[in-house]
Amino acid sequence: MTPVVVRSYRPSDHSTGRHLWTELTRQHNEMYGEHRDDGGAGFEEYLTRLDLSGLWVADHADDGVIGMVGLIMRGRAGEVDPVVVTITHRHKGVGRRLLQHVAGEAKRRSMTALTISPESRNVEAIRSLHAAGYDVVSSIELTMDLDRHTHPWQQEGLQLHELPFRS
C-alpha cells in the first residue's frame, strides 16, 4: 500500500475536504432514501464551529487527501465528527489510522472519553468503530416518524432491551 500520512488540515485542503463532506452526505442520503445534495455547503458551516478542536486529513502519497476526521470539544470529553474516507480507499485501513490519530490527540489533551454517532443503518461503520475500541453505548437517539409512513429503509430493525426498533 502506498504510504498514508495523517496530518493537520490546511487551508489548501479546503476543496478536497468539501468533496469528502459531499461524499459523506451523499452516502447518508442514499442510506435513508433522501434526495438532497448541499454540494458540500455543510462543510463551510462545520469549519466555523467554535467547539471544533481539531481537523486532520489522511494524505496519500499518490492520490492526495483521501480521508478526514474532526474532533469536537464536549467539556472534558470529545466527539469524533466527521470521519470519512473516499470510496476508492475504503477497506484499506485509512479510517482506522484516522481514528487512532484522533484518539491520540484526545489523550494528549487529557480528554476523558471520545464519542462518535454513526448512523444506525450503517452496520459497516458500527462494526469498524467497535473494532477500533468504541464499545460503550453512551446514549441513544430515538425518532418518532410523524409521517406515519413506512419507508423502504425502515424495513430492517434492531432489538434494544428486548424492544423492537426500526432503523
Side-chain angles (χ1 to χ4, degrees):
M1 180 175 159
T2 305
V4 173
V5 175
V6 177
R7 62 166 174 80
S8 293
Y9 172 87
R10 302 176 188 148
S12 59
D13 299 324
H14 182 266
S15 176
T16 307
R18 188 174 170 125
H19 177 74
L20 286 166
W21 189 276
T22 300
E23 271 194 59
L24 182 66
T25 303
R26 187 174 300 125
Q27 179 185 9
H28 170 83
N29 289 343
E30 288 172 5
M31 196 177 303
Y32 287 95
E34 297 174 5
H35 303 288
R36 297 175 304 173
D37 185 3
D38 73 352
F43 185 58
E44 307 303 329
E45 185 178 332
Y46 175 80
L47 290 175
T48 65
R49 291 183 66 145
L50 296 177
D51 56 356
L52 179 59
S53 178
L55 185 59
W56 298 272
V57 297
D59 196 350
H60 187 275
D62 295 329
D63 298 333
V65 173
I66 58 169
M68 179 172 62
V69 66
L71 179 61
I72 307 296
M73 294 294 296
R74 296 279 182 251
R76 298 240 7 241
E79 177 185 350
V80 177
D81 181 42
V83 61
V84 58
V85 175
T86 191
I87 196 159
T88 57
H89 286 278
R90 292 183 189 156
H91 309 289
K92 298 179 182 177
V94 177
R96 186 178 319 112
R97 299 248 338 250
L98 288 166
L99 290 169
Q100 289 169 343
H101 186 85
V102 76
E105 287 291 332
K107 287 176 185 174
R108 279 189 279 291
R109 297 169 189 210
S110 300
M111 291 183 170
T112 58
L114 275 179
T115 61
I116 190 165
S117 301
E119 297 299 327
S120 62
R121 294 195 48 84
N122 196 341
V123 176
E124 182 179 316
I126 292 168
R127 287 186 175 139
S128 295
L129 291 166
H130 188 271
Y134 292 84
D135 59 359
V136 177
V137 175
S138 56
S139 70
I140 300 166
E141 180 177 305
L142 300 176
T143 302
M144 177 186 286
D145 184 0
L146 297 175
D147 284 342
R148 305 217 187 265
H149 299 326
T150 301
H151 303 281
W153 50 263
Q154 292 176 323
Q155 297 304 314
E156 297 177 26
L158 57 95
Q159 290 264 334
L160 186 64
H161 300 294
E162 292 89 37
L163 298 172
F165 291 91
R166 296 177 290 164
S167 62

